[in-house]
Amino acid sequence: MSARTTLLDLFTPPDGLMGQTAILVAMSGTRGFLDSALHRFTGLGRQRRAAAGCPFAYLFLDAHPTANRERTFNPLDVPGLHELQPRDAARENLLHAKVALLAFGPGRHGAASVLRLGVTTANWTERSSRHQLELLWKVDVSRGPEGFEGSIEELSDLSSAGAFIQRLAARYHVPMRGESRSLLARRYHDLLEQVVALEPSRPRRRFVHSWDDSLFEQFQRHLATEDGQRKNLLVCGSGSFEEPPPEKRRGRKPEVLQKLESLAAPTAARLLAAEPANAGALASWWTENIETEGWDLVRSHDPDARGATGRDLHAKFIYVGYQREASCSNGWLYLGSGNLTRRGLLLSADARGNVETGVFLRVAESVPREALLGALFVSEDSLPADELVEKGPDSEADVELAQLIGVPPLLSARARSDREGGGPRLELVWRDDVESGTMVALWWAAGSSRMEVRPGESVPVSDGRFPATVEVSIVGGDGTAWAIPVESELGHFCLPPPSACAFDEALDALLEFPIESEGDDEDEGLEGQDNDSGDPPDEPAGRRRGGAQADPRQYPLHTAMQFIDRLGAHQSGLAADQLEDWLHHLETGLPASFAPEQVAAWRGLGINFSDVLRANGFRPPGMSPVQAKRYRRILEHALRSWGL
């Protein structure tokens, strides 16, 4: 990707649309980049994403600890992002795949109108975005009169990517459809089920994964449909190579290169682009052999380099084609996550290789050789042997597969207030693979007492004010504490404690809708830094309403009428395509809009707020029966939480 095309472009909505839900897969990710990506995707900064009370993106990362990552993300590290917790089975392979599914629509919470698949060589990090040469391929399909429309290949690719994620999800704790009304479950499954259902009756897939067969075997099958001996050009590149061999095997050609040679004619020209600081076994072979058997080792080329410093090669690709004079044609291109290593390219996940993804693309048309090499960041400049370094950063072999990253014993907590169940309390959702007899200590507000809880026990919330997150640690453990999200009774995230403001300000904040996109200023600032300070996010904009203090200068009857009149006037003027977003906005914001002192003063007025706000002229117009039922439930929940 050049300066004109960046990794963040994958998250840019089509014109007139907004990001709704994304499912992201990679080996690694950082808070700085993911913040920028979600800002670009939703048009909302950190504060507003925290105030939305729902995940906009679900994240699968590799389950093994590294020097830069020893635990999963906390709920508010990246507002709007939910990292799915790995199961013990996720230790079996290195998750090296790099893929994204995204849904866009006219609103952030309604039906999707565009689905997007992105396959890349990059991780979700600033390093990939700003300091490495990466490749990105993406495809969009749009909703038509009879559903999503696209070519057989496009629909097949989206469906195949969805099936890959479904298989990956078996190794992670994913909320089950129908488990609760939780948005954690609904948004994830809505996107995945839409994508999987796109599969044509006779699919033609370009998207590939390594669950059952290695990427190399699948590339061979693609080429088997043609006369492979006619291919006289092989161009490859990788960010890393096999680990340096034992001393007695030094100087041998890496097995991957031997396999790659079989993809083209024996006399084919062979270009290999490598990053000299991370050459692995390639270094000893190249430096200790005069005869390199037709291979030319060349530098990568950064078209946007300034001065002598360019970005490092991290892209992984294989091109096999027919070259005649200065043009190349009749070719195939692989790009994806698999490095030119045994675990990345030659082994399937079933054979203890990595979990990888990629695409095989037909490049039948004639392309100037210079343009082809430029698109793949390949130069014609030879790479001197004395620049090659055997050992470099980010080696696949550095990951210890026997270890599992630090994960909390609890997945979430659910707020419940029904008297039959014991009044206001938190019901805890435990990992189903937690060790028998595990006990946790749980607390939330600063200075609050710690409670020790066993599976099956709930936690009382004496004042009925549910926290946004709770801290949890294992009793008798090493003292590590995790934050887990708290879901409200309506299925969204409970919100951080709001700050205080007057009644008019609280009402203004509630009626601040629709929420427009905030522009790109934030992601331009965040992309260049990785905010790993551990500090909580800034207080959500628009959430001051929750801490509103009663204004003694305003009579309860006046404020109640003002609330009814202004809310009714605002929502009765909404368009039909705004209703889903409005109901979500009301669902998350209304219960916490006003101070306890304010609503307490309304209790003696004898006003039936629910009947009034469901009457014509006050309720949102044009609601479907499902939306009307949801609107009534939102009102009843808010009124019950206010004691009305």
Side-chain angles (χ1 to χ4, degrees):
M1 291 169 283
S2 70
R4 295 172 295 279
T5 303
T6 74
L7 189 57
L8 282 177
D9 290 339
L10 175 62
F11 299 89
T12 302
D15 290 345
L17 301 182
M18 302 176 183
Q20 296 179 328
T21 307
I23 300 175
L24 310 177
V25 181
M27 179 181 173
S28 60
T30 56
R31 285 191 287 180
F33 176 81
L34 290 165
D35 252 325
S36 299
L38 262 68
H39 182 257
R40 179 74 65 91
F41 182 59
T42 64
L44 303 176
R46 288 176 59 86
Q47 297 174 345
R48 289 199 180 279
R49 292 199 310 273
C54 71
F56 291 102
Y58 301 85
L59 181 66
F60 293 93
L61 293 182
D62 181 61
H64 304 93
T66 66
N68 297 321
R69 174 176 150 88
E70 297 181 351
R71 54 186 293 166
T72 55
F73 286 117
N74 282 332
L76 295 179
D77 283 344
V78 182
L81 176 76
H82 180 70
E83 182 179 0
L84 296 160
Q85 303 290 338
R87 297 177 181 272
D88 191 65
R91 294 189 300 180
E92 295 178 11
N93 306 89
L94 177 71
L95 176 59
H96 203 251
K98 298 153 184 21
V99 63
L101 289 173
L102 308 100
F104 304 89
R108 297 184 180 93
H109 303 282
S113 52
V114 170
L115 299 176
R116 175 177 295 169
L117 167 64
V119 178
T120 181
T121 63
N123 288 303
W124 311 123
T125 66
E126 289 87 351
R127 187 178 177 196
S128 283
S129 180
R130 296 174 63 88
H131 305 298
Q132 293 180 322
L133 296 169
E134 305 281 10
L135 293 171
L136 167 66
W137 176 85
K138 65 183 178 72
V139 61
D140 287 5
V141 297
S142 300
R143 186 186 295 275
E146 298 182 0
F148 287 99
E149 300 173 344
S151 68
I152 292 177
E153 290 83 1
E154 290 169 343
L155 298 177
S156 300
D157 292 334
L158 278 153
S159 176
S160 296
F164 164 79
I165 291 174
Q166 284 183 326
R167 188 164 176 179
L168 176 66
R171 297 184 171 192
Y172 289 76
H173 286 276
V174 176
M176 299 295 292
R177 169 75 88 183
E179 180 178 301
S180 71
R181 64 172 64 97
S182 168
L183 290 174
L184 282 180
R186 189 169 74 237
R187 295 175 71 93
Y188 171 88
H189 290 288
D190 283 350
L191 172 55
L192 207 54
E193 289 171 6
Q194 282 186 98
V195 167
V196 171
L198 296 176
E199 182 171 65
S201 57
R202 295 184 177 180
R204 293 200 296 265
R205 302 181 181 93
R206 298 168 295 185
F207 176 86
V208 292
H209 56 72
S210 66
W211 281 121
D212 304 305
D213 298 310
S214 73
L215 297 179
F216 179 78
E217 291 170 325
Q218 295 175 75
F219 201 1
Q220 280 186 312
R221 288 201 291 269
H222 275 76
L223 291 175
T225 60
E226 303 180 15
D227 179 9
Q229 295 304 307
R230 293 186 62 237
K231 311 297 184 185
N232 64 359
L233 178 63
L234 174 62
V235 183
C236 312
S238 181
S240 62
F241 294 85
E242 207 67 56
E243 283 294 288
E247 189 64 31
K248 64 180 181 180
R249 298 185 61 205
R250 289 180 60 84
R252 296 186 183 183
K253 183 191 298 183
E255 181 184 0
V256 171
L257 297 189
Q258 297 179 41
K259 293 287 189 180
L260 290 174
E261 290 171 2
S262 69
L263 299 178
T267 57
R270 302 166 184 158
L271 267 67
L272 177 60
E275 185 57 42
N278 197 22
L282 181 66
S284 63
W285 172 64
W286 195 260
T287 56
E288 297 181 20
N289 288 274
I290 298 175
E291 176 55 53
T292 56
E293 302 174 33
W295 286 95
D296 288 323
L297 186 61
V298 297
R299 296 183 185 277
S300 61
H301 170 64
D302 183 354
D304 302 312
R306 298 178 181 178
T309 302
R311 292 169 291 177
D312 298 334
L313 179 67
H314 190 252
K316 313 100 168 62
F317 55 87
I318 304 168
Y319 172 83
V320 183
Y322 181 70
Q323 178 178 316
R324 184 175 182 180
E325 296 179 348
S327 295
C328 305
S329 62
N330 197 29
W332 284 92
L333 173 67
Y334 155 77
L335 68 89
S337 62
N339 282 307
L340 302 187
T341 64
R342 194 164 184 270
R343 278 168 45 179
L345 196 67
L346 302 186
L347 295 179
S348 68
D350 281 348
R352 306 297 289 174
N354 300 337
V355 178
E356 307 278 9
T357 51
V359 287
F360 293 141
L361 304 174
R362 189 77 172 92
V363 190
E365 66 276 9
S366 179
V367 181
R369 174 187 167 102
E370 182 179 1
L372 173 69
L373 298 185
L376 298 176
F377 309 119
V378 177
S379 76
E380 302 270 16
D381 298 332
S382 296
L383 184 57
D386 59 6
E387 292 187 21
L388 300 180
V389 178
E390 285 191 342
K391 183 69 175 176
D394 298 334
S395 170
E396 296 168 7
D398 288 342
V399 176
E400 178 53 62
L401 295 182
Q403 297 182 21
L404 183 69
I405 197 169
V407 292
L410 303 177
L411 299 175
S412 64
R414 293 173 181 161
R416 296 292 182 263
S417 60
D418 57 290
R419 293 180 180 177
E420 296 81 2
R425 65 196 183 280
L426 294 176
E427 295 183 350
L428 307 179
V429 181
W430 291 74
R431 297 172 60 95
D432 58 18
D433 54 0
V434 71
E435 292 185 11
S436 176
T438 298
M439 179 185 294
V440 299
L442 188 144
W443 68 99
W444 52 93
S448 64
S449 59
R450 297 163 62 100
M451 291 160 279
E452 295 188 354
V453 187
R454 293 181 174 85
E457 297 179 341
S458 61
V459 178
V461 181
S462 56
D463 60 3
R465 299 183 183 182
F466 296 106
T469 62
V470 295
E471 301 289 322
V472 59
S473 66
I474 298 175
V475 175
D478 61 7
T480 300
W482 295 270
I484 62 169
V486 179
E487 300 174 30
S488 79
E489 292 180 278
L490 295 182
H492 58 75
F493 292 142
C494 291
L495 302 178
S499 58
C501 65
F503 172 80
D504 287 343
E505 294 178 81
L507 185 56
D508 288 343
L510 176 65
L511 301 181
E512 189 179 353
F513 181 89
I515 300 173
E516 302 297 336
S517 295
E518 298 177 350
D520 286 340
D521 290 344
E522 180 173 325
D523 64 34
E524 289 174 1
L526 282 173
E527 185 185 322
Q529 56 183 316
D530 183 15
N531 178 20
D532 282 331
S533 64
D535 295 333
D538 296 334
E539 186 165 358
R543 287 297 169 195
R544 295 176 302 168
R545 54 179 174 265
Q549 295 177 337
D551 187 345
R553 297 170 298 175
Q554 294 180 306
Y555 294 108
L557 181 60
H558 174 77
T559 56
M561 291 298 99
Q562 189 179 6
F563 164 67
I564 291 172
D565 289 344
R566 289 189 60 192
L567 178 60
H570 186 86
Q571 62 184 12
S572 64
L574 296 175
D577 61 3
Q578 295 177 307
L579 292 182
E580 283 296 319
D581 280 26
W582 170 249
L583 291 175
H584 177 84
H585 177 78
L586 203 62
E587 190 172 63
T588 56
L590 184 58
S593 290
F594 305 107
E597 298 87 349
Q598 181 64 64
V599 295
W602 291 354
R603 291 171 188 159
L605 298 178
I607 299 174
N608 190 322
F609 289 87
S610 180
D611 284 352
V612 174
L613 290 172
R614 288 190 290 115
N616 288 331
F618 291 91
R619 69 187 182 198
M623 289 188 292
S624 69
V626 172
Q627 290 172 329
K629 183 178 180 180
R630 182 183 177 190
Y631 175 63
R632 179 170 184 165
R633 189 174 69 242
I634 291 169
L635 292 179
E636 290 174 347
H637 174 72
L639 295 172
R640 185 168 61 249
S641 68
W642 295 345
L644 299 177

